[in-house]
Amino acid sequence: MQNKPYIVVLAGGIGSKFWPYSRNNYPKQFLDILGTGRTLLQMTFDRFVKFSDPKLFLVVTNKMYVDIVKEQLPEISDEQILGEPLRRNTANCIAYASYKIKKKDPNARVIVTPSDHLVINELPFQQKIKQGLKEAEKAHHLITIGIKPNRPETGYGYIQYIEKPKLGLVKKVKTFTEKPTKKLAKTFLESGDFVWNSGMFIWKNESIIRAFEKYLPEMAEVFEEGMEFYDSPDEAGFIKRAYSLVKNVSIDLGIMEKSDEVYLLLGDFGWSDLGSWLSIHQLKERDKNNNVVDANAVLYDTTNSYIKVSPQKLVVVHGLDNYLINESENVILICKLDAENKFKEFVADAKNKGEDYI
């Protein structure tokens, strides 16, 4: 058994809410969105390598992004990059990685993380992960990390928990809720027993395998059949067949909402899922009128806005409040800054104009 945990990084998303900066061929996890000199994927690697070893990372991504992962994470080998032939949601990503790990080390511990989130306060984050690794040793506990909410955010999923003193640091999970309405989000915030769903999980690999067998048995059967193919020249062919057989389902819906073994650790370490332009606006340095200006721009009577345009052009803005102006390659987007629910429509309509726009 490895003393250090495996790190499974989920890096297959397309980041549509960051369009047009995030594109199908180069989505947000591969971009230096925060201007740190490191992409979000690289920042995720930097964050978790402190708990593990580069050789224990598995990055699950779409096959079209495999070369980008190789370029951005030269510390890991080609065999550690799991290229998915189709997008089949997080349950399949995690199943693929879990069964590969099972072949390598049946007694492994595993941390699962998205590739495109932000953690500001490293020390409390590290302490929380260490607590999670300890709690995951108990029985077949599946540990998730919930973030204490500070606003009625509609762009996040929520987890409701139950206080049980005998459990110590962990809370018993009661319900999962996908992105709520503003009214419901306010109710969650006021109730005090709901937290944001961070998408991070910690467990023994045998615990999640057991959960797949119980709650997603067809999926478990498909990936179990791959044991003879993992880490062999025939793996890609097997995975192509496997992904044509499994259904599209998230880990939350497929397992976490059904299992009685799900427990929560409360986290408060400056977390954001960086899920929209608005979330970046809240993190970036702003002027006296609450504008983020990443451009050669002159602003008049403009407030609460985000201007990101090539510095080769002068942008003159007058009379806007709560707007996004973004120029990326061949697209200029002007919309309400908080219009994240419209982005699927934006991208779909842009696709009708031509594949080059998405």
Side-chain angles (χ1 to χ4, degrees), residues 152-158 178-183 185 340-341:
E153 175 64 55
T154 60
Y156 298 161
Y158 284 74
E178 280 303 303
K179 300 169 184 177
T181 63
K182 193 76 170 180
K183 182 179 180 181
E340 62 184 70
N341 293 332

Side-chain angles (χ1 to χ4, degrees), residues 138-143 162 164 167 171-176 207 210-211 214-215 254-264:
K138 299 176 181 177
H140 288 288
H141 288 187
L142 306 175
I143 307 299
I162 304 168
K164 290 190 174 182
L167 292 176
K171 320 292 183 184
K172 189 78 172 67
V173 169
K174 184 178 180 181
T175 62
F176 284 79
S207 299
R210 181 174 176 265
K214 183 174 182 179
Y215 301 108
I255 291 179
M256 307 303 278
E257 292 184 12
K258 299 173 182 176
S259 174
D260 291 329
E261 301 288 351
V262 183
Y263 295 87
L264 174 82

